[in-house]
Amino acid sequence: MEIAPAAAGRPSGEHRTAAELAAAADRPAVHELGLLLRAAARLDRAVDTAMRAECGLSHTMFEVLLMLARARGEGVPQRELAEGLTLTSGGTTRLVDRMEQAGLVRRAPSPADRRITLVGATPEGAVAFGRASEVHARIVDRLLLAPVAPDDRPHLLAALRAVVENPER
């Protein structure tokens, strides 16, 4: 397996020296991606832990309720939930099953196309979202916003938005 780009004149499948491997590991892009992933994982764990303890919801369940709240009472196709959550269709089905059993969401066929299943929040789901959004805001303020100088926040958010909205996949 090739870990570093091929050295000049060397076939790409050839073994690398320890120094070449260390150089590949020390590339700025490797460190920068590592920082981004560690920050995201830290935020996700903190939000998930707090929401489970205070609201009985996982962070992923909160994300479903967030998508449903943004739909303003309109149902969201289950496939769109899967895409927004980056889950498989099976994973989304199991998640929505658990949320439906907990009374947080309901499923209904789309009036426009009965092949499409729409997911909507129940009144209990809306109440749970309201509680969880307060927990979410508290954790995001403490772990994402507070460590960043107020003048730097717009730049941070613009950079994150550029990464997320990059059309190159």
Side-chain angles (χ1 to χ4, degrees), residues 89-107:
S89 61
T92 302
T93 296
R94 287 187 296 277
L95 175 64
V96 172
D97 284 346
R98 288 192 308 272
M99 293 180 74
E100 193 171 39
Q101 290 167 358
L104 301 170
V105 299
R106 59 173 163 47
R107 290 180 171 117

Side-chain angles (χ1 to χ4, degrees), residues 33-168:
L33 179 60
L35 282 172
L36 179 62
L37 294 175
R38 283 192 303 277
R42 180 178 183 218
L43 285 165
D44 184 56
R45 275 191 310 273
V47 169
D48 190 69
T49 299
M51 281 192 189
R52 285 179 189 275
E54 298 178 40
C55 306
L57 293 178
S58 70
H59 187 196
T60 308
M61 288 178 170
F62 171 79
E63 291 294 328
V64 169
L65 293 172
L66 175 65
M67 292 173 72
L68 298 178
R70 287 181 175 151
R72 303 191 187 288
E74 299 292 321
V76 174
Q78 193 164 307
R79 190 180 67 187
E80 281 183 33
L81 292 177
E83 291 168 3
L85 297 168
T86 62
L87 292 176
T88 64
S89 61
T92 302
T93 296
R94 287 187 296 277
L95 175 64
V96 172
D97 284 346
R98 288 192 308 272
M99 293 180 74
E100 193 171 39
Q101 290 167 358
L104 301 170
V105 299
R106 59 173 163 47
R107 290 180 171 117
S110 167
D113 185 344
R114 295 184 64 79
R115 295 171 297 172
I116 297 173
T117 299
L118 299 177
V119 179
T122 62
E124 295 83 2
V127 169
F129 174 73
R131 285 192 321 266
S133 65
E134 293 173 14
V135 173
H136 186 270
R138 186 181 76 237
I139 301 297
V140 169
D141 285 346
R142 185 178 53 135
L143 296 180
L144 178 64
L145 300 178
V148 178
D151 290 345
D152 291 337
R153 289 176 191 164
H155 304 291
L156 170 65
L157 297 176
L160 291 171
R161 197 171 290 111
V163 170
V164 168
E165 294 174 357
N166 181 357
E168 188 174 319

